[in-house]
């Protein structure tokens, strides 16, 4: 035999075996790990892949449809070929059976009656034994990857590059949905992923194995044989999947630690208990650093899993507050969260890292309320045409609100009234009474009464341009201060 991996073609070329190809010659380059006799119609639950299955014919069904299904099961399980004993119990082979072998490139071999199955098995065992030392050495070196993790602190990409060199495979990793599982390791073509974790591990040209984690399957490892290399076999690929699971656990633990530290830092920034220098040092340690601008976002109607997936590699701090999620980072976060289905997000104006969040929080809260009202996924504070002219000083904003809207706010509080929201809705709909009444779910006459009552309490005629502008700015100021929903 040759000194490379054993193939069906190698068995076919052995003079002692006298094998003959009945169909599926296109698959003769399939590798062979073992040869085994099976007279079961479905032996696949007990197979690992890359076997040559030998049968006297008892396992082969008699009908055309069942023969084709039998061959397809073997091929789907990664079997390298089927060897039938000539003349014994082999039923008539239907055209559909032979055609399936040709379509799939699945080698269908005939073993002469004079050649016992044990001779085929011994030939395969001898060839496999030649590579056993190399495979064992590869397994031991893959175990050594655990030492690399502990002593060298390798980056994930470098770790898996070494494992590829040792194993003879090109390695890919992904989540069950086909997304990256570990940084620096490429994802495979989704078409090669198994339908379930219980699927046979063998795929054309390599293996696909689940990467396990607490709570279930975290993803899949796909290993393809590298051209010119000596693939070390399934056991080594299984060890690499174990290393991937350990590395994933380490990465997740590191991310969770940073996430908790980030949440604590953001909580302290919102409470305004950190001095700017300390805040900047904390942010730098959490990869939010330099002179770049930062923004604060407040999000509603979003699941944490969807949010984390959307943020992916972006640096950020995340804090959950009841139904709202606070997010601190660069302005790129806005585009990332805007793509989440059903989200309502408000984003503050940019500010230097480490600066007090008091103004930014008011801006983000106002913006998210506007996002909820309008149905837009993201509202950026300051993109409107009037709010940008309002001062940042809360004292000035409070004075404006009290001067114009003070009586209305007190009336609404005392009577559970809807005067302010009614006027705001009417103004936002360009003073179209019918549209505003529909949005408020009231009769137009009810809205007209509320407008008159508002005018009486404020002493301002909303038909006047000057009064309208003053009231509109006061309503915007109340929104910035969080005095309106």
């Amino acid at each position: 035999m040759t000194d490379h991996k054993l193939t069906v073609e190698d068995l076919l070329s052995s003079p002692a075996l006298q094998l003959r190809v009945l169909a599926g010659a296109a698959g003769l380059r399939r590798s062979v790990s073992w040869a085994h006799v099976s007279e079961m119609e479905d032996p696949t639950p007990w197979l690992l892949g890359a076997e040559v299955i030998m049968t006297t014919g008892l396992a082969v069904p008699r009908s055309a449809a069942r023969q084709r299904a039998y061959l397809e099961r073997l091929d789907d399980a990664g079997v390298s070929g089927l060897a039938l004993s000539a003349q014994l119990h082999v039923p008539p082979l239907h055209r559909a059976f032979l055609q399936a072998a040709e379509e799939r490139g699945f080698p269908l071999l005939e073993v002469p009656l004079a050649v016992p199955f044990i001779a085929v098995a011994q030939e395969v065992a001898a060839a496999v034994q030649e590579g056993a030392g190399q495979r064992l050495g590869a397994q031991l070196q893959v175990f050594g990857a655990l030492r690399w993790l502990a002593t060298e602190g390798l980056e994930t990409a470098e770790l898996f590059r070494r494992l590829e060199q040792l194993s003879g495979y090109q390695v890919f990793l992904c989540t069950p949905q086909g997304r990256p599982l570990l940084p620096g390791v490429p994802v495979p073509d989704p078409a090669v992923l198994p339908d379930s974790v219980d699927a046979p591990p063998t795929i054309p040209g390599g293996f696909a194995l689940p990467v396990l984690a607490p709570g279930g399957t975290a993803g899949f490892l796909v290993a393809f044989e590298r051209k010119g290399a000596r693939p070390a076999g399934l056991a080594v690929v299984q060890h690499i999947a174990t290393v991937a699971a350990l590395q994933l656990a380490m990465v997740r633990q590191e991310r969770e630690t940073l996430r908790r530290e980030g949440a604590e830092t953001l909580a302290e920034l919102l409470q305004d208990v950190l001095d700017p220098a300390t805040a900047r040092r904390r942010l730098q340690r959490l990869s939010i650093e330099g002179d770049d601008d930062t923004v604060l976002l407040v999000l509603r109607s979003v699941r944490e899993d969807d949010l984390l997936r959307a943020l992916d590699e972006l640096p950020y701090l995340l804090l959950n507050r009841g139904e709202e999620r606070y997010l601190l980072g660069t302005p790129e976060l806005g585009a990332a969260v805007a793509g989440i289905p059903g989200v309502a997000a408000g984003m503050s104006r940019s500010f230097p890292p480490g600066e007090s969040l008091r103004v930014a929080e008011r801006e983000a809260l106002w913006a998210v309320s506007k996002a909820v009202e309008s149905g837009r996924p993201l509202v950026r504070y300051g993109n409107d045409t009037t709010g940008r002219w309002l001062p940042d000083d809360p004292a000035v904003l409070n004075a404006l609100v009290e001067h114009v809207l003070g009586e209305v706010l007190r009336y609404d509080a005392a009577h559970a009234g809807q005067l302010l929201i009614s006027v705001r809705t009417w103004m936002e709909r360009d003073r179209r009474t019918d549209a505003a009444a529909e949005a408020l779910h009231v009769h137009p006459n009810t809205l007209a009464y509320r407008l008159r009552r508002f005018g009486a309490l404020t002493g301002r005629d909303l038909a006047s341009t000057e009064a309208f502008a003053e009231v509109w700015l006061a309503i915007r100021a109340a929104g910035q201060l969080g005095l309106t929903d």
Side-chain angles (χ1 to χ4, degrees):
M1 283 296 171
T2 59
D3 60 357
H4 59 270
K5 65 178 180 178
L6 183 67
T7 66
V8 177
E9 189 174 37
D10 292 329
L11 296 177
L12 194 68
S13 65
S14 171
L17 300 183
Q18 305 175 51
L19 301 178
R20 184 170 72 91
V21 180
L22 298 178
L28 293 179
R29 296 300 298 168
R30 295 188 179 200
S31 60
V32 178
S33 64
W34 200 246
H36 189 71
V37 178
S38 174
E39 302 297 352
M40 301 175 64
E41 189 171 337
D42 185 11
T44 57
W46 292 272
L47 302 178
L48 293 176
E51 300 93 347
V52 168
I53 296 297
M54 301 178 289
T55 176
T56 62
L58 294 175
V60 182
R62 292 194 169 273
S63 73
R66 290 178 63 196
Q67 281 187 5
R68 184 180 183 100
Y70 169 66
L71 184 143
E72 289 175 345
R73 275 196 303 274
L74 296 180
D75 188 34
D76 290 342
V79 170
S80 297
L82 178 65
L84 304 168
S85 180
Q87 303 175 16
L88 283 179
H89 306 292
V90 178
L93 301 178
H94 293 277
R95 181 177 180 181
F97 182 65
L98 301 174
Q99 186 176 354
E102 290 291 343
E103 291 171 356
R104 288 174 166 249
F106 181 81
L108 195 59
L109 310 176
E110 183 181 71
V111 185
L113 190 60
V115 178
F117 283 165
I118 190 66
V120 179
Q122 286 178 338
E123 195 80 8
V124 173
V128 171
Q129 183 64 31
E130 292 179 12
Q134 179 259 337
R135 293 183 179 218
L136 178 60
Q139 291 186 42
L140 293 175
Q141 291 185 72
V142 170
F143 276 125
L146 303 179
R147 185 183 68 252
W148 302 338
L149 286 174
T151 61
E152 297 187 36
L154 294 180
E155 294 288 336
T156 301
E158 174 61 18
L159 171 66
F160 279 87
R161 189 192 66 78
R162 291 193 189 184
L163 292 174
E164 287 181 330
Q165 294 298 318
L166 289 174
S167 66
Y169 294 92
Q170 186 177 9
V171 174
F172 301 84
L173 286 168
C174 68
T175 67
Q177 296 76 31
R179 294 188 294 271
L181 184 64
L182 284 174
V185 182
V187 300
D189 183 343
V192 306
L193 297 181
D195 295 331
S196 72
V197 296
D198 299 320
T202 303
I203 59 175
F207 303 99
L209 299 172
V211 177
L212 302 179
T217 301
F220 291 96
L221 179 144
V222 175
F224 287 117
E225 299 173 359
R226 288 192 294 110
K227 187 176 181 179
R230 299 185 64 186
L234 176 59
V236 167
V237 177
Q238 289 172 325
H239 294 326
I240 295 176
T242 300
V243 172
L246 291 172
Q247 183 72 354
L248 179 63
M250 293 171 60
V251 169
R252 285 182 171 178
Q253 179 63 35
E254 181 179 352
R255 286 177 178 171
E256 185 58 31
T257 299
L258 289 175
R259 192 174 299 150
R260 285 198 301 268
E261 185 178 346
E264 293 170 1
T265 296
L266 182 50
E268 291 179 305
L269 288 170
L270 289 167
Q271 295 166 13
D272 211 11
V273 297
L274 294 179
D275 63 87
T278 302
R280 282 192 292 272
R281 285 196 300 270
R282 292 263 200 100
L283 294 174
Q284 287 174 355
R285 188 164 66 248
L286 295 166
S287 300
I288 300 175
E289 53 189 337
D291 298 325
D292 294 336
D293 288 336
T294 52
V295 294
L296 182 70
L297 292 96
V298 176
L299 291 79
R300 296 176 186 166
S301 305
V302 62
R303 295 191 315 155
E304 187 165 348
D305 287 347
D306 294 337
L307 177 59
L308 297 179
R309 192 178 302 119
L311 298 178
D312 199 19
E313 300 298 320
L314 292 172
Y316 61 88
L317 308 187
L318 173 64
L319 176 66
N320 295 327
R321 277 187 166 183
E323 297 296 318
E324 296 176 334
R325 305 186 191 280
Y326 283 66
L327 200 61
L328 179 71
T330 62
E332 286 77 15
L333 293 175
V337 303
I340 303 174
V343 72
M347 190 169 84
S348 72
R349 293 174 295 177
S350 298
F351 55 90
E355 187 177 283
S356 171
L357 300 186
R358 283 178 296 183
V359 172
E361 183 180 11
R362 287 197 302 272
E363 294 176 351
L365 286 169
W366 177 88
V368 75
S369 69
K370 290 298 178 184
V372 171
E373 290 172 11
S374 64
R376 286 182 286 170
L378 175 69
V379 171
R380 294 176 171 86
Y381 184 90
N383 282 0
D384 58 278
T385 56
T386 54
R388 72 180 66 182
W389 304 113
L390 292 171
D392 293 333
D393 189 343
V396 176
L397 295 176
N398 271 307
L400 172 61
V401 171
E402 173 59 30
H403 177 65
V404 179
L405 304 175
E407 292 299 324
V408 173
L409 289 171
R410 284 185 283 276
Y411 178 89
D412 279 349
H415 301 87
Q418 297 286 309
L419 295 184
L420 184 58
I421 192 172
S422 296
V423 171
R424 188 188 71 190
T425 303
W426 177 70
M427 287 182 162
E428 287 173 344
R429 281 154 182 79
D430 300 324
R431 291 170 282 183
R432 288 181 288 115
T433 302
D434 289 344
E438 182 179 356
L440 292 165
H441 306 292
V442 299
H443 194 276
N445 290 342
T446 302
L447 177 57
Y449 166 77
R450 291 178 181 176
L451 295 176
R452 289 194 300 272
R453 185 65 177 146
F454 179 93
L457 288 171
T458 59
R460 287 164 175 82
D461 181 2
L462 294 177
S464 161
T465 301
E466 181 179 357
F468 183 93
E470 186 182 27
V471 169
W472 178 240
L473 286 173
I475 289 176
R476 300 303 299 273
Q480 285 188 216
L481 294 170
L483 301 177
T484 61
D485 295 330

